[in-house]
Structure formats: C-alpha cells, structure tokens
C-alpha cells in the first residue's frame, strides 16, 4: 500500500473519531447556549437579585455544605477501609454502598419517607428532631445519595496512594494512625478535596429525594433545583431558566476544580 | 505534586457559609405568648378529680397553675372517671374541680344540681379506633369494622362520654346494627385497651387522647405500645366534637380556687398543652404562629393557592401554611407514605377520591372547576381557531398523558366526542405528565398548540394566546379540597378548607382563571 494512501486512511479514521467528539461537544454547547438566548442579561440580573433566588442560593449553600461535611466525615474512614482492608462480605458492602448511586434519586426520598413512618423513625422525630417536610430534612435527603458518592470518590483518592508507602512508614516506626495522617492523607489530599467538591456538586443538584421527602414548599425547602421546579409549575420559564443557569455555572466550576485537582472515581 | 488548589479546600466551605449568611434560613420569630397576669391572691387547699385519661396533660397544667398561685395547695385524686362521677352523685365527694374528659358526666352531675356556676368546655375531645398489632383484620376505618374477621369490638358504656359518642359515630357510619352481638361493653374505658392486649377483642374505641399513654400524672407522652395499634381518629363528622368539660362542685371547700382553675384551663399556654395531648383547642391560639398546617397542593393549581395563602395569612396570622407542590398523583403517594399533613388539594377529584378510598379523608369541599381550553403561541401564527384545526397537517400539538393527569383525560374525551381523536393523534408530539409543562412548551415555542386548563392559560397569558372552546365540547373537572385524617389541627384545617370554598376563596379562584364552584356546575 502506498505511503500516501495509508496516511489518508489514518486521517479518515481520525476524522471520524474527532468528528464524533465534536458532535458531542456541539450538541451540548448548542443546548446550553439556547438557554442563554432565551434569557437576556437584564432578566438574569434581576432574577439573581430576587428574594426567591437569594433564598434558594443561601439555603442550597447552607444545606450542601453541611451535607458535604457529614458525607466527607463519614466517607474518609469508609473510603479508606474499602481501599485498604480485605473485608469479609466486601462485594456485598460495596454493592450496598453503590446502590444509592445507581438507583433513581427519587427512591432515596421514598425510602426516607417510609423510614420516618416506622416506630423508630417516629421516635427520632419526636425525641431528636423532625425531618420529614422540614429544612433539616433536606440535608438528609441530600446525604443519602451524596454520601455513597463521597465514599466512592474518596476511596478512589486512597486507591491512588501506593499502600507500600504506608508499609515503609510502618517499618520506619510509624503506627497505623501516624502512617495514615503523615503519609497517606497528605498524598491523597488533592483527590480527597476533589471528591468533596464533587460530593458538594452532587448534593447541590439533588432534586428527587427532596421533592419526595421534604416537599416543594416556597421559602422553606426551596433549594435551587426545587426553585426550578416551582417556577416551571407556574409557567415562570425565565426565572426557572435563570436558576438553571446558576446551577450550570456551579456544576461547571465544580467539574473544573475536580479535574484540576486530579480527582478520579466515577462521577455519577 | 502541584498544590495551589489545596488552599481551596478550607476556603470553599467558608465562602459557602458566608454566602449562607452563617445562619439558618430565617423563619418568622415566634411572638412570645401573652404573659399570664397574676390574679387575685388565692390560698387554701384545693381538690381536683383527675380521670386517668388526663393524667398526662394534668401534670403540666398543675405545674403552671402552681407557678401562678403558689399559695394554693393542690390535692388530686387520680381514678376512673366512672368511680369519680358516682362518688360526686352519691354525695361522697365534693372536689373543687371535676375535670371530665367529655360532657356526659358533667351533665349528669349538673342534672342533680351539684354544679356550682356553669360547667366549662376547656377543649374538644374525640374518639379513636384501636386494633390489634399489625391489624390482622385489615380494618381501614370505622366503616368496615363489621368485617366477619372481627369477633368482638370493645367499647365503653353509654354512661361514659366516650361510649356515648362512639355509639353516635357507629350509628352515623351505618355499622351499629351490624355490630350487635359482637359488642363488649365496659364501665371502665381503660379496660378497652386491656381487652385488645389480652386478645379478647379485635377492635376497640377509646378517647383519641388516650392513645397517648401515660401511667402517672405528669408522665411523658408515649404512644400505645405492645399488642395494640392506633388506627386513627374517628372523624368528628361522625361522632360530633366532644366537649371536654370541667366543673366546680357545689359545696366544695374552695370554690374561688376552683373557678380560677377552670378559667386557667382556657388560657393560651394551657390550650397548647391540651393540643399537645391530642385534644382540639377550645380557644384558638391568640398570638404567634403556633399552628402549622401542611398542605399537599397540585402544582397545576398553584396560581390559585399562592394568593389564597397570602390572603389567609392576613386574616389568621396565628396559622402558618406550608404548601408542598407537586403532581397530584405524586402527592397522593407522598402522603400515603408519610401519613402526616393536614390538607390535600389535588387538581382533580379523581385523586381526592382515591385518597378517600384509602380512608385518608375526614372531610372535603368543592373549591372550583377547571375547564379545558386551547393555547397557541402568542399572536396565533398558525391561525388555530377551533378544536378541529388541531387536525391540520404539520402542527405540533401537546396534550396531557391520560394516565398521569386529568387534563390528559379531558383532552382525550373531548377529541373523541368531536370525532377528531384519530386525526389529531398524528399531530401529537408531546404527552406531558402535568399541565404546567404544556404551558411552558408553548411558551418556549416547542409546540404550536396544547389543550390545557383555563387556570394554565391564565398563568401563561403573557406568552400564549387562549382560545376558548364551546361549553358543549367538554365536562368541567371539579377541584376539591380534603382534610386528611392525619391532621393534628383538625379545627384549623377545617377552617382553611372552609376559606378555600368561601366567597373570598371563590373570588381568588376566578382571578386565577378557574371557574368558581358557586351554585351548580358551569356547563
């Protein structure tokens, strides 16, 4: 086969592959940009300044921060254990942890509602604090899917650190705890932060469980995704799109941070 | 390894917290309850007859009373109400206060001229249904307690208010006759629960507050445990509200203290205590947002609900309304799981009837009607004038999914009636799960036309044109409101239901583009 033709074939292959990618990029860009054409800058600015959006932004910031803190606090030991130890029933544990990621998020909401209908759930509501249809319930509704996700992302961060480094630290006189804090944790730190950022983004985008477990109540459970839903329900399309754009900006920022930090683990 | 982004780690949450204003979302601060004014100084000893059923709330109330009148020395007698009533009737007891759970006992005492002054209704009581644990007889509500699986129903005797009102409810529900021969009647209401626990009865009727058990005065509230399960309140539609009365007994040693105690029972903080123990208030809360009603409301009728809530708040600042919006069907599942909340306003009676069939409703009213209309893009570029135009080739038409929303069923029925169904079907590009979506799609110019409710057309009037349809073409769809049996604030929930159906509510329905329910159906 002449050299020139072979090169042409490779080009054709590359052409096809790259055009597939470009098509993907094109579809997403056009879809996203079309939203921007519907909303002009003035509408967007006034929407952002509205009491409703400000409330939604604040409530989202507050709830997702608490959710992320809780999910990471739990995800670090859980992710580390999954990454390092040969646990009995590992496949079962792993499957259980993945379940909330794979199931439709709505299911988490239903499960929570059912749980708080049981005597134990009702005892918690009476003696600890009420959760169903409350603001604090939002944290719980975000936590169930987000914590699974956190475990997954944080485990990936620990997987990226060679266990032999820990073993070396142990031979040099560190105990388990010291080896973790002095070697593994600093090395995994970027990945951990990346995992936390994505957990936060995941919590910020949560809708189904909140709708089901906390209800869509204006100025009470109105986090950003609920604000989109509530505005769509009264035909306030501009406002809904503005909130969608805010969510998109947040998601893009989180993804960029995630990639910049070298985060790994599957996302959704 | 690169590190600059590390510094983002601690910064990010901090920034978010700042954005959140470092605090909880603001809620209206509770207004402090009216300060209890100190009355004339009272002293001496006071005796109170406390039936077992009010042991729980009585503890908290006595404590409050003692704070106000520290010089009054209180003795209480905790016993079965039947025993106490008989003691008074036989002249063997003259307490300063006889705290009854209903009104029959006080009436019996008053009939003998033994009440000093007038008896006082301090709260409203109700009766509730209890069944064996896990409900093996599958009792849903009072209407099916005549099921053949039920061998014995334990009820208090007629001489007791709970027995009297239970009988009224059973008669009104049409099951009294069917229960004859299966009733186990007791003078001591507390034995009803014992019968069930011992497996000697499958169903029992007790005062609803007695489903919150305590063993001693001032004891902590606990739900009935063990082998008994509470099915819920028997709707006061059936039993009627039961006035819980108290009286000062003639010839008692300290009538002044007794009267002060009676008056005290209706004060705001004490009313709160009654409510906490599952009684209904006799006096509506005066200040502060004490009562929160949760309303499940179909997303399609939010344009009606939002103004209703605004108006209601103005007239009743003491009521806080939390409205959860979603598809009516979704809400039905939600409330079935959650078993809480006070009112349900689905966009159509189809869903309310389902809630009713599941035994979730204790009352309902008609609010308005929805009528189907056509909406088209602003300026009507496709010149759509009537239903038949939807069959024109090349149009993009949206309808509701008949399984998911009533507007879908209405559209299908209407098209079939006009013999247009097959022709229009070719043009249908969207079967939406809810009405607002159809309005939004025409607004976004993804559809040329859609069949929606009048309320939706009013809502998108700024971005779509509405085309009314001849009244002969369709059946209007009723929009009802129902009070849920889970409510803990039945009186307040009923009051809100009444407001929705009131002339003012009707005006708001009209303003939202719905057809008011006054008089007969519009078509």
């Amino acid at each position: 086969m002449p050299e020139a033709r072979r090169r042409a074939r490779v080009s054709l292959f590359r052409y096809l592959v790259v055009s597939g990618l470009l098509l993907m990029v094109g579809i997403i860009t056009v879809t996203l940009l079309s939203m921007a054409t519907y909303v002009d800058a003035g509408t967007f600015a006034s929407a952002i300044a509205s009491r409703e959006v400000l409330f939604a932004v604040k409530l989202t910031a507050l709830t997702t921060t608490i959710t992320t803190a809780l999910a990471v606090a739990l995800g670090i030991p859980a992710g580390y254990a999954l990454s390092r130890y040969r646990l009995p029933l590992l496949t079962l544990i792993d499957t259980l942890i993945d379940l909330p990621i794979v199931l439709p998020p709505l299911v988490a909401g239903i499960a929570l509602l059912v749980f708080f209908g049981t005597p134990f759930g009702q005892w918690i509501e009476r003696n600890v604090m009420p959760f169903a249809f409350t603001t604090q319930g939002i944290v719980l509704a975000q936590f169930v899917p987000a914590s699974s996700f956190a475990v997954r992302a944080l485990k990936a961060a620990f997987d990226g650190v060679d266990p032999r480094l820990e073993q070396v630290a142990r031979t040099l006189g560190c105990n388990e705890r010291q080896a973790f804090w002095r070697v593994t944790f600093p090395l995994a730190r970027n990945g951990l932060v990346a995992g936390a950022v994505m957990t936060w983004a995941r919590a910020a985008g949560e809708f189904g469980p909140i709708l089901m477990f906390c209800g869509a109540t204006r100025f009470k459970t109105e986090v950003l995704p609920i604000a989109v839903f509530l505005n769509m329900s009264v035909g306030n399309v501009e406002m809904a799109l503005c909130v969608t754009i805010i969510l998109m900006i947040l998601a893009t920022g989180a993804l960029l941070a995630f990639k910049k930090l070298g985060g790994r683990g599957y996302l959704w | 390894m690169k590190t600059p982004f590390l510094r983002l780690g601690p910064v990010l949450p901090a920034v978010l917290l700042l954005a959140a204003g470092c605090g909880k979302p603001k809620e209206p601060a509770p207004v402090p309850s009216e300060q209890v004014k100190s009355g004339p100084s009272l002293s001496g000893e006071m005796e109170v007859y406390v039936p077992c059923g009010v042991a729980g709330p009585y503890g908290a109330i006595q404590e409050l009373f003692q704070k106000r009148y520290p010089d009054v020395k209180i003795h209480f007698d905790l016993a079965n109400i039947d025993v106490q009533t008989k003691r008074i009737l036989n002249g063997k007891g003259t307490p300063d206060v006889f705290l009854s759970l209903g009104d029959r006992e006080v009436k019996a005492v008053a009939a003998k001229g033994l009440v000093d002054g007038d008896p006082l209704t301090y709260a409203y009581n109700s009766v509730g249904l209890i069944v064996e644990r896990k409900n093996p007889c599958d009792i849903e509500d009072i209407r099916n307690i005549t099921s053949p699986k039920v061998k014995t129903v334990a009820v208090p005797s007629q001489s007791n208010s709970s027995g009297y009102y239970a009988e009224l409810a059973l008669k009104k529900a049409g099951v009294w006759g069917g229960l004859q021969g299966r009733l186990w009647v007791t003078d001591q209401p507390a034995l009803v629960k014992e019968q069930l626990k011992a497996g000697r009865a499958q169903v029992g009727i007790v005062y609803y507050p007695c489903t919150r058990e305590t063993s001693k005065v001032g004891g902590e509230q606990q739900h009935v445990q063990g082998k008994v399960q509470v099915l819920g309140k028997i709707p006061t539609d059936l039993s009627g509200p039961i006035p819980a009365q108290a009286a000062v007994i003639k010839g008692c040693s300290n009538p002044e203290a007794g009267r002060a105690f009676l008056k005290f029972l209706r004060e705001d903080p004490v009313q709160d205590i009654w409510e906490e123990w599952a009684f209904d208030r006799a006096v509506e809360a005066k200040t502060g947002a004490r009562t929160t009603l949760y309303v499940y409301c179909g997303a399609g009728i939010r344009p009606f609900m939002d103004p209703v809530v605004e108006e209601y708040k103005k007239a009743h600042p003491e009521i806080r309304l939390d409205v959860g919006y979603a598809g009516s069907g979704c809400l039905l599942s939600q409330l079935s799981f959650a078993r809480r909340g006070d009112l349900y306003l689905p966009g159509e009676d189809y869903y309310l009837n389902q809630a009713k069939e599941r035994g979730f409703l204790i009352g309902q009213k008609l609010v308005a009607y929805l009528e189907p209309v056509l909406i088209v893009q602003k300026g009507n570029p496709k010149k759509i004038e009537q239903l038949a135009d939807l069959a024109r080739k090349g149009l993009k038409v949206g309808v509701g999914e008949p399984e998911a929303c009533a507007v879908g069923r209405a559209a299908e029925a209407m098209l079939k009636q006009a013999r247009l169904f097959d022709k229009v079907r070719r043009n249908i590009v969207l079967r939406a799960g809810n009405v607002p979506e159809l309005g939004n799609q025409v607004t976004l110019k993804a559809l040329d036309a859609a069949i929606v409710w009048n309320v939706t057309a009013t809502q998108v009037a700024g971005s779509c044109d509405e085309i009314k349809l001849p009244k002969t073409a369709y059946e209007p769809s009723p929009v009802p409101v129902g009070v849920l049996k889970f409510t803990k604030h039945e009186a307040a929930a009923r009051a809100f239901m009444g407001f929705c159906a009131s002339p003012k509510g009707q005006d708001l329905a009209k303003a939202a583009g719905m057809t008011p329910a006054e008089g007969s159906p519009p078509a």
Side-chain angles (χ1 to χ4, degrees):
Chain A
M1 199 179 285
E3 182 68 13
R5 274 197 66 185
R6 194 185 301 156
R7 208 180 289 153
R9 251 203 192 165
V10 171
S11 309
L12 182 65
F13 175 76
R14 279 194 191 178
Y15 173 77
L16 282 173
V17 171
V18 173
S19 51
L21 180 64
L22 285 179
L23 191 64
M24 259 320 274
V25 172
I27 291 171
I28 295 173
T29 317
V30 168
T31 323
L32 295 186
L33 282 184
S34 61
M35 279 207 257
T37 59
Y38 201 89
V39 181
D40 58 70
T43 320
F44 186 65
S46 62
I48 282 193
S50 74
R51 202 165 78 93
E52 190 175 351
V53 171
L54 282 179
F55 176 88
V57 169
K58 282 183 190 175
L59 185 63
T60 308
L62 181 71
T63 52
T64 51
T65 306
I66 298 173
T67 304
T68 310
L70 293 175
V72 169
L74 202 70
I76 287 182
Y80 184 76
L82 278 177
S83 168
R84 287 293 187 270
Y85 305 142
R86 286 163 158 253
L87 300 164
L89 303 174
L90 184 66
T91 319
L92 183 68
I93 295 173
D94 214 37
T95 310
L96 272 178
I97 285 185
D98 278 348
L99 216 50
I101 304 178
V102 178
L103 286 173
L106 197 62
V107 174
I110 297 173
L112 283 171
L113 264 187
V114 172
F115 170 74
F116 281 101
T118 63
F120 179 54
Q122 284 179 354
W123 183 88
I124 293 177
E125 292 224 318
R126 273 199 310 278
N127 296 299
V128 185
M129 60 163 85
F131 283 105
F133 303 107
T134 62
T135 312
Q136 53 269 28
I138 299 174
V139 171
L140 207 55
Q142 290 170 341
F143 179 80
V144 173
S147 57
S148 281
F149 183 76
V151 172
R152 195 47 59 199
L154 301 180
K155 174 187 178 293
F158 289 122
D159 283 345
V161 179
D162 191 343
R164 271 195 295 181
L165 295 173
E166 257 175 75
Q167 286 154 16
V168 172
R170 295 290 298 279
T171 63
L172 295 175
C174 279
N175 62 25
E176 255 184 312
R177 189 167 51 85
Q178 288 167 327
F180 175 78
W181 285 114
R182 293 189 182 171
V183 178
T184 312
F185 188 75
L187 286 175
R189 196 153 55 173
N190 267 1
L192 295 177
V193 175
V197 170
M198 285 317 295
T199 304
W200 173 82
R202 166 88 205 212
E206 213 53 81
F207 170 70
I210 301 177
L211 178 72
M212 211 55 202
F213 183 55
C214 310
T217 303
R218 294 184 71 209
F219 292 105
K220 189 181 176 200
T221 60
E222 196 174 1
V223 286
L224 287 166
I226 295 282
V228 175
F229 170 76
L230 281 175
N231 279 293
M232 285 304 264
S233 77
V234 280
N236 197 346
V237 179
E238 286 93 350
M239 186 74 123
L241 282 179
C242 288
V243 181
T244 311
I245 292 172
I246 297 176
L247 275 168
M248 269 165 30
I249 294 170
L250 289 177
T252 312
L255 278 170
L256 283 177
F258 181 75
K259 288 176 196 306
K260 198 84 182 169
L261 290 160
R264 285 189 291 139
Y266 50 84
L267 288 183
W268 309 111
Chain B
M1 194 177 283
K2 285 192 269 179
T3 55
F5 270 84
L6 278 184
R7 292 187 192 115
L8 255 182
V11 172
L12 190 66
V15 169
L16 290 171
L17 269 178
L18 275 178
C22 292
K24 283 167 84 175
K26 285 185 188 73
E27 285 180 18
V31 183
S33 66
E34 206 170 295
Q35 281 303 305
V36 173
K37 292 170 210 93
S38 61
S41 58
L42 289 171
S43 59
E45 303 202 350
M46 177 171 91
E47 189 184 22
V48 184
Y49 274 13
V50 182
C52 314
V54 285
Y58 176 76
I61 292 167
Q62 182 183 315
E63 201 175 300
L64 275 186
F65 187 77
Q66 290 276 248
K67 270 186 201 155
R68 171 97 63 90
Y69 301 106
D71 297 336
V72 177
K73 197 158 184 279
I74 302 178
H75 308 280
F76 62 82
D77 173 85
L78 187 66
N80 186 299
I81 186 157
D82 218 58
V83 174
Q84 291 172 331
T85 314
K86 278 181 188 145
R87 233 190 275 156
I88 298 171
L89 288 173
N90 298 337
K92 287 182 183 151
T94 46
D96 298 292
V97 175
F98 174 35
L99 195 59
S100 166
L101 280 146
D103 60 343
R104 306 288 300 167
E105 295 78 2
V106 173
K107 271 190 186 131
V109 172
K112 283 212 163 185
L114 295 172
V115 168
D116 186 341
D118 287 326
L120 164 128
T121 301
Y122 62 82
Y124 285 95
N125 204 341
S126 54
V127 279
L129 220 49
I130 54 174
V131 293
E132 291 167 291
R133 183 119 211 109
K134 302 219 162 127
N135 196 2
C137 296
D138 296 320
I139 305 299
E140 280 167 22
D141 61 28
I142 187 170
R143 286 175 198 83
N144 67 355
I145 65 172
T146 46
S147 139
K149 286 187 201 163
V150 177
K151 300 278 175 269
T152 306
V153 176
V155 291
S157 80
Q158 253 250 339
S159 65
N160 188 283
S161 295
S162 55
Y164 176 82
Y165 287 97
E167 189 178 321
L168 282 187
L170 290 167
K171 281 180 176 160
K172 194 149 184 206
V175 293
W176 179 252
L179 283 180
Q180 294 312 309
R182 283 192 268 174
L183 290 171
W184 181 87
V185 184
T186 173
D187 275 349
Q188 298 186 29
L191 291 182
V192 170
K193 273 186 259 181
E194 299 311 317
Q195 280 301 101
L196 264 88
K197 283 179 186 166
R200 287 194 289 266
Q202 293 75 48
V203 182
I205 298 182
V206 292
Y207 279 127
Y208 186 63
C210 293
T211 60
R212 315 289 209 268
E213 286 189 321
T214 57
S215 47
K216 56 182 195 288
V217 164
E220 204 168 304
Q221 198 176 115
Q222 280 178 335
H223 286 252
V224 169
Q225 283 165 347
K227 292 182 180 158
V228 178
Q229 180 178 332
V230 181
L231 214 56
K233 220 184 219 185
I234 293 175
T236 45
D237 285 5
L238 298 175
S239 64
I242 307 172
Q245 292 191 330
V248 176
I249 300 303
K250 210 167 247 178
C252 65
S253 58
N254 198 347
E256 290 79 24
R259 272 192 284 273
F261 188 82
L262 252 54
K263 219 174 134 198
F264 187 70
L265 292 176
R266 282 173 69 98
E267 281 184 15
D268 230 25
V270 183
Q271 290 288 304
D272 286 348
I273 297 174
W274 292 121
E275 199 170 26
E276 192 187 318
W277 286 83
F279 286 83
D280 287 320
R281 305 175 81 98
V283 185
E284 280 308 319
K286 284 194 199 85
T287 47
R290 269 205 196 77
T291 306
T292 301
L293 294 179
Y294 193 85
V295 185
Y296 298 90
C297 180
I301 50 173
R302 195 181 142 195
F304 163 68
M305 199 59 192
D306 277 350
V308 165
V309 169
E310 285 304 313
E311 279 298 314
Y312 200 72
K313 260 193 214 160
K314 279 185 214 158
H316 303 271
E318 76 281 4
I319 305 283
R320 182 184 157 143
L321 287 159
D322 280 344
V323 188
Y325 295 105
S328 301
C330 173
L331 292 172
L332 181 63
S333 328
Q334 203 179 11
L335 67 90
S336 312
F337 285 131
R339 308 188 76 80
R340 67 185 82 197
D342 305 288
L343 294 125
Y344 179 36
L345 249 121
E348 51 254 15
D349 62 351
Y350 172 76
Y351 293 105
L352 200 81
N353 288 336
Q354 285 196 24
K356 198 174 179 180
E357 276 167 26
R358 296 183 197 183
F360 294 161
L361 293 190
I362 54 171
Q364 69 180 83
K365 273 197 157 90
L366 180 67
V367 174
Y369 289 94
L370 293 173
E371 296 180 60
V373 296
L374 276 181
I375 50 166
V376 295
Q377 292 176 14
K378 196 83 195 161
N380 199 357
K382 297 280 164 80
K383 303 270 174 285
I384 297 163
E385 307 294 346
Q386 49 177 332
L387 203 57
D389 291 343
L390 296 184
R392 209 192 296 148
K393 244 190 178 159
L395 282 185
K396 284 179 287 178
V397 177
V399 293
E401 166 61 48
E403 296 292 316
C405 53
V407 78
R409 280 193 299 281
E412 195 173 295
M414 196 163 65
L415 290 170
K416 278 186 175 158
Q417 195 196 318
R419 297 179 190 286
L420 286 166
F421 188 67
D422 287 320
K423 289 179 203 156
V424 175
R425 194 158 57 174
R426 288 193 301 256
N427 287 342
I428 293 175
V429 294
L430 173 69
R431 288 179 190 276
N434 58 58
V435 204
E437 199 185 327
L438 290 167
N440 294 338
Q441 295 300 339
V442 178
T443 299
L444 293 170
K445 301 195 193 303
L447 294 174
D448 295 313
I451 300 172
V452 298
W453 294 127
N454 44 5
V455 62
T456 322
T458 306
Q459 186 183 301
V460 293
S463 53
C464 303
D465 286 345
E466 175 180 347
I467 293 157
K468 287 211 159 53
L469 297 167
K471 301 250 177 212
T472 49
Y474 56 83
E475 285 277 331
S477 167
V479 178
V481 51
V483 174
L484 296 170
K485 76 163 182 190
F486 317 116
T487 183
K488 290 193 175 108
H489 314 287
E490 192 182 327
R494 283 184 187 279
F496 182 70
M497 174 170 79
F499 179 77
C500 291
S502 72
K504 181 79 202 162
Q506 300 286 294
D507 287 348
L508 294 171
K510 207 168 176 179
M514 296 154 92
T515 314
E518 294 151 346
S520 52

